[in-house]
Amino acid sequence: MHSEDKKKQETPKIKPIIEAADNLSLGISIVVAILMGVGIGLLLKNFTGAGWTLWIGVFIGIAAAVLNVYKAYSKQYKEFEELAKEPRYAIKKQLQDDEDEDESEKNY
């Protein structure tokens, strides 16, 4: 039973580290993605000898940066949607219902 308690204690210690790594600054991830793309482009340029292959790497890096932004946006939007479903934040739905009732009472 002592080993089970040890496993329970180890799991929470690792989880915050993983979450912290996942929540690294978006700006850092953009810069790293572009630098990695430039590195790929330089490798392609040195391997092939064609100067335009550097730009392939740059575009790969930019595409990876855009993908990182999209993933971060999707994650935040999903969390927002889950938060909006909580009853304590249902004021938006109440306001929309009140507007619908007010509009239905008006007969022009």
Side-chain angles (χ1 to χ4, degrees):
M1 184 152 171
H2 182 67
S3 63
E4 290 178 17
D5 292 336
K6 207 175 206 183
K7 287 181 183 178
K8 288 180 182 178
Q9 290 175 355
E10 289 177 9
T11 306
K13 290 180 183 177
I14 295 171
K15 188 175 180 179
I17 294 170
I18 293 171
E19 288 176 359
D22 189 40
N23 293 329
L24 283 175
S25 173
L26 187 58
I28 292 173
S29 69
I30 291 170
V31 170
V32 169
I34 293 174
L35 288 177
M36 288 178 66
V38 169
I40 290 170
L42 287 172
L43 286 174
L44 287 173
K45 181 181 175 185
N46 291 337
F47 184 69
T48 62
W52 58 270
T53 56
L54 171 66
W55 293 105
I56 291 174
V58 171
F59 290 128
I60 289 171
I62 292 171
V66 170
L67 184 62
N68 286 342
V69 171
Y70 177 74
K71 286 181 180 180
Y73 171 77
S74 297
K75 183 178 177 182
Q76 290 297 321
Y77 188 77
K78 184 177 178 182
E79 290 177 8
F80 170 74
E81 288 295 320
E82 290 174 5
L83 189 64
K85 291 178 184 176
E86 290 187 22
R88 63 181 172 179
Y89 300 115
I91 188 71
K92 182 178 178 182
K93 182 173 171 53
Q94 291 172 358
L95 290 174
Q96 287 175 345
D97 290 343
D98 289 344
E99 285 179 8
D100 292 341
E101 289 175 7
D102 291 341
E103 289 177 6
S104 65
E105 291 175 4
K106 295 179 183 177
N107 291 329
Y108 293 104

